[in-house]
Amino acid sequence: MAALTWNDTLALQQPRMDTTHREFVDLLAQAPSLWVAGARRAFPVATYLAYALQHTDKPIQLVDFAGAMHVGQLRGLRRGDVMVAVSFAPYAEETMDLVRQAAQAGATVIAITDSRVGALAQLADVALVVQESAVFGFRALSSTMALAQCLFIALAYRLELEYKPSGAAAR
């Protein structure tokens, strides 16, 4: 498993592409379908990443855990697909269960998490490690969101995506 640490200081600087970033982008670019999961605190990051990935021509599935139907949502996952899972200690059990199911189905698992030795990173093929600041026990998501945005932009460049306005702006 490859790992990269991303922290608040790096998030404020222009990120450098390294082997782990390239591997992440290559995996996304080559996957037939992309799956994104993140529960609780990680849900906003997973939702943003799924939204951004919809700008590609790939099928995107956000596993949203609504109605506790998350296990059933993975029925369409196939060998060769990529699952991006976002979770931080103490690691949402729902996300961990999905990662195990995705790995068992033959999907490549990419983790965005807080520790190289944490439970999620141990199950992943690629782990992007994010260190967030905390104030009074409240952990920020700013570095994690910045990482998600940078990775999507890198993918957009890799796929040579063209900007296409949507909704009212497109009319």
Side-chain angles (χ1 to χ4, degrees):
M1 169 199 46
L4 167 76
T5 300
W6 183 272
N7 63 34
D8 290 332
T9 304
L10 289 174
L12 297 175
Q13 300 172 357
Q14 181 174 353
R16 289 189 333 235
M17 291 295 289
D18 70 359
T19 304
T20 304
H21 280 93
R22 281 191 212 98
E23 184 176 359
F24 180 95
V25 171
D26 287 344
L27 288 170
L28 293 178
Q30 296 166 9
S33 294
L34 302 174
W35 299 74
V36 184
R40 301 182 200 144
R41 180 171 87 94
F43 184 72
V45 178
T47 302
Y48 173 79
L49 194 53
Y51 161 74
L53 291 170
Q54 288 176 4
H55 291 85
T56 69
D57 62 353
K58 296 182 175 295
I60 308 299
Q61 177 65 43
L62 172 65
V63 182
D64 60 12
F65 304 96
M69 295 186 292
H70 50 282
V71 175
Q73 286 182 304
L74 281 191
R75 287 194 180 119
L77 184 130
R78 301 288 179 254
R79 179 172 297 285
D81 288 353
V82 169
M83 162 74 69
V84 180
V86 186
S87 193
F88 310 98
Y91 309 106
E93 195 55 42
E94 304 92 331
T95 304
M96 297 301 292
D97 289 344
L98 285 181
V99 166
R100 288 183 197 99
Q101 188 177 348
Q104 203 168 39
T108 299
V109 176
I110 298 171
I112 297 177
T113 190
D114 59 351
S115 171
R116 285 184 179 94
V117 296
L120 181 56
Q122 295 303 308
L123 295 174
D125 297 294
V126 177
L128 299 173
V129 178
V130 181
Q131 297 173 351
E132 293 283 4
S133 59
V135 177
F136 299 112
F138 177 81
R139 294 174 289 182
L141 285 174
S142 53
S143 293
T144 309
M145 195 64 81
L147 175 62
Q149 290 172 333
C150 289
L151 292 170
F152 171 72
I153 290 169
L155 177 63
Y157 275 104
R158 168 78 160 67
L159 296 176
E160 298 179 5
L161 296 179
E162 292 182 32
Y163 174 70
K164 297 176 188 169
S166 60
R171 292 183 209 147

